[in-house]
Amino acid sequence: MSLLLGIYGAGGCGRGILPVASQQFGARPDSRLVFVDDGVRAIEINGHEVLSFEGFMAVPAEERRIALAIASPQQRQEVAERCLAAGASFFEVRAANAIVMDEVAIGEGALISPFVTFTSNIRIGRHFHANLYSSVEHDCVIGDYVTFAPGVRCNGNVHIADGAYLGAGALIRQGRPGHPLRIGAGAVVGMGAVVTRDVPAGATVVGNPARLMKG
Ligand SMILES: CC(C)(COP(=O)(O)OP(=O)(O)OC[C@H]1O[C@@H](n2cnc3c(N)ncnc32)[C@H](O)[C@@H]1OP(=O)(O)O)[C@@H](O)C(=O)NCCC(=O)NCCS
């Protein structure tokens, strides 16, 4: 049975994910792993073939799956919808050294980079990105298309709505059982922010303690 796997996006995010997928699936002699990117002229990047989306869909394969390596939650959602409309399906990339404890439910299409930790009793939606060294603590609920840049520390009882982006090294204070700390839909948490209060939907916060970004 032939398995064609595409890492959609040959930018920084994709180039950090393809080697993880290669480790995950490389032992399967029937699998072929490529970049999918419509904006790149190169036919090869880092020794891996680059196909357009149309080209990817046209390659004969018994099974064909895509992982979306696009950091922007909004762009990732747009591409996911385009892939679904074209009949593509998704796969999860998970580093071998990621730690996942008890009762963790992760939706389809997640990218889980090396050194990521999930403790217990966590629910996460579709197409989550957990970049290098990020962690999610107990009793968190995370929506669809959420991105954690490297080193995000999300403590317990935090609820993050769809499409939120958390920048590198952001630190999120724990909520309490029944009173989670909430980060709203489409919110952006700047790199290095220390979030101590709820973040409204669509807001950008920065700093320690995190405040709404001016301008
Ligand atoms: C918060 C963020 C989204 C703002 O981006 P932006 O709208 O393009 O903002 P600008 O770069 O124009 O900066 C606007 C002001 O905010 C300040 N600022 C930007 N990001 C900041 C941050 N994370 N913390 C504190 N201040 C920040 C800038 O210094 C600038 O201040 P000034 O007007 O006094 O010079 C962005 O800076 C950020 O933190 N992105 C996450 C980056 C990241 O984690 N990447 C990971 C890649 S894998």
Side-chain angles (χ1 to χ4, degrees), residues 33-205:
L33 178 63
V34 301
F35 282 117
V36 179
D37 199 309
D38 288 318
V40 168
R41 282 179 185 276
I43 53 167
E44 214 181 81
I45 292 180
N46 295 345
H48 306 285
E49 207 178 339
V50 185
L51 301 178
S52 65
F53 181 61
E54 208 180 316
F56 176 81
M57 294 304 285
V59 172
E62 284 165 75
E63 196 182 339
R64 180 192 325 271
R65 291 184 180 272
I66 282 179
L68 301 173
I70 299 167
S72 154
Q74 290 69 33
Q75 281 176 24
R76 191 153 80 251
Q77 181 168 1
E78 278 171 33
V79 174
E81 284 163 8
R82 184 178 155 213
C83 289
L84 282 172
S89 50
F90 302 106
F91 71 103
E92 178 185 284
V93 179
R94 184 182 296 201
N97 71 358
I99 296 171
V100 181
M101 299 185 188
D102 289 339
E103 302 297 328
V104 177
I106 303 177
E108 74 169 347
L111 305 187
I112 301 169
S113 293
F115 306 104
V116 166
T117 301
F118 300 92
T119 67
S120 297
N121 305 97
I122 294 165
R123 244 184 318 124
I124 300 179
R126 308 169 71 237
H127 298 290
F128 179 55
H129 277 197
N131 213 324
L132 300 170
Y133 291 99
S134 53
S135 59
V136 183
E137 262 278 12
H138 62 91
D139 301 301
C140 285
V141 179
I142 297 179
D144 296 332
Y145 303 102
V146 171
T147 300
F148 281 16
V152 169
R153 299 288 189 221
C154 180
N155 285 299
N157 285 303
V158 171
H159 289 195
I160 302 179
D162 297 348
Y165 178 94
L166 279 61
L171 197 53
I172 317 302
R173 180 184 189 168
Q174 80 280 5
R176 287 178 289 126
H179 296 277
L181 185 145
R182 293 182 189 276
I183 297 181
V188 175
V189 174
M191 59 190 172
V194 177
V195 175
T196 58
R197 294 170 181 211
D198 289 357
V199 177
T204 297
V205 296

